Amino acid sequence: MRKEFQDIWDAVTAGQEADLVRQVDGRRVVRRFLPPERLVLLGGGHVSLALYEAALKVGFAVTVADDRPAFASYTRFPEAKEVICDSFENALPQLNIGAGDFVCVLTRGHKDDTVCMKYLLRGNEPRYLGMIGSHRRVKGLFELLGEEGYDKERIARVHAPIGLSIGAVTPAEIAVSICAELIAARHALPAEAGLLPQQNTDPDALRFLADDTRPAALLLVLATKGSTPVKGGALMGADKLGNAAGTIGGGCGENQAILAARRLIGTGKSQVVTVDMTGEVAAMEGMVCGGTMDVLIEDLPVEEE
């Protein structure tokens, strides 16, 4: 295995972040890989089930808590990291909510909402905290919490009513609105010199890059300008035959970069290519995004034993 990429995969699967560092044109570039963030769903009803399914697809590790056996089981949530069937008073201390967690309060009623919010506002503040409910119900609870002395600034940071305002009505639509808000919160990261913005972990791409049984190339988006399908940090692997894993946006732009990678494989070199999706170039190639991407392409030879 290619040790650098295998080490990254091992770190991420152990719940740790890991960095891929490159020097490009005299500057240090860092592509960070983050382990799946924990999403805690307090309540296992219909919206929670739809949100669980959506959140899994975008890389969250989901934990569910509910006091009803029919709504808190691995039969209902088979791919959940953890399912707790207990009262919210008992379940919340077991969850050990931390600063990196995303928490959604989706209980079946005002009483349980109040129990959860009081506990959460006393403890560590999670990275994201949202609560379902009508504007009237949310306002009433928050006024009560403020009168009881809970931190009003923390209360103001709660996403409530939860989810983006897209007119969602059904559980599936509400789940989409919440998941979109979770993604926005996940990508609201502080700026750091040299750190590329896209930091998700693509298991297929990492496994492909770690496999040293065949020569391959790393393709890493360093920078984008204008309208592009991905941000800096998007990456993929490709081999001489055109097999690939991961994506840097798909379409003609990605194909252009893969062709460059296939030519580079076996040379032991690296280069930065610019994929142009603007003006006449875009029109001729059928690319409609209207921006440019600088892509680092690096030969990854088969490693010797």
Side-chain angles (χ1 to χ4, degrees), residues 43-168:
H46 301 306
V47 171
S48 286
L49 181 59
L51 179 55
Y52 151 83
E53 293 169 346
L56 284 179
K57 292 178 181 178
V58 296
F60 284 95
V62 184
T63 290
V64 183
D66 199 296
D67 59 352
R68 299 166 291 178
F71 289 85
S73 71
Y74 285 103
T75 300
R76 184 172 174 81
F77 299 99
E79 295 182 68
K81 182 177 180 181
E82 184 180 13
V83 177
I84 298 175
C85 185
D86 207 335
S87 68
F88 290 108
E89 291 92 339
N90 292 334
L92 282 160
Q94 298 176 52
L95 290 167
N96 296 314
I97 301 295
D101 289 324
F102 292 67
V103 181
C104 296
V105 179
L106 307 169
T107 80
R108 64 185 181 277
H110 181 77
K111 175 179 175 292
D112 290 327
D113 287 347
T114 304
V115 168
C116 292
M117 290 304 303
K118 285 185 174 182
Y119 182 89
L120 292 164
L121 291 171
R122 288 196 305 267
N124 295 322
E125 184 170 6
R127 185 167 165 188
Y128 171 97
L129 174 56
M131 188 185 78
I132 201 167
S134 66
H135 285 280
R136 180 178 178 183
R137 175 174 154 188
V138 167
K139 181 180 178 182
L141 175 55
F142 285 3
E143 286 178 351
L144 172 65
L145 293 171
E147 290 169 1
E148 292 186 7
Y150 287 88
D151 187 333
K152 292 183 179 180
E153 291 186 359
R154 282 190 62 170
I155 294 172
R157 289 194 288 270
V158 177
H159 297 263
I162 198 170
L164 299 184
S165 180
I166 59 173

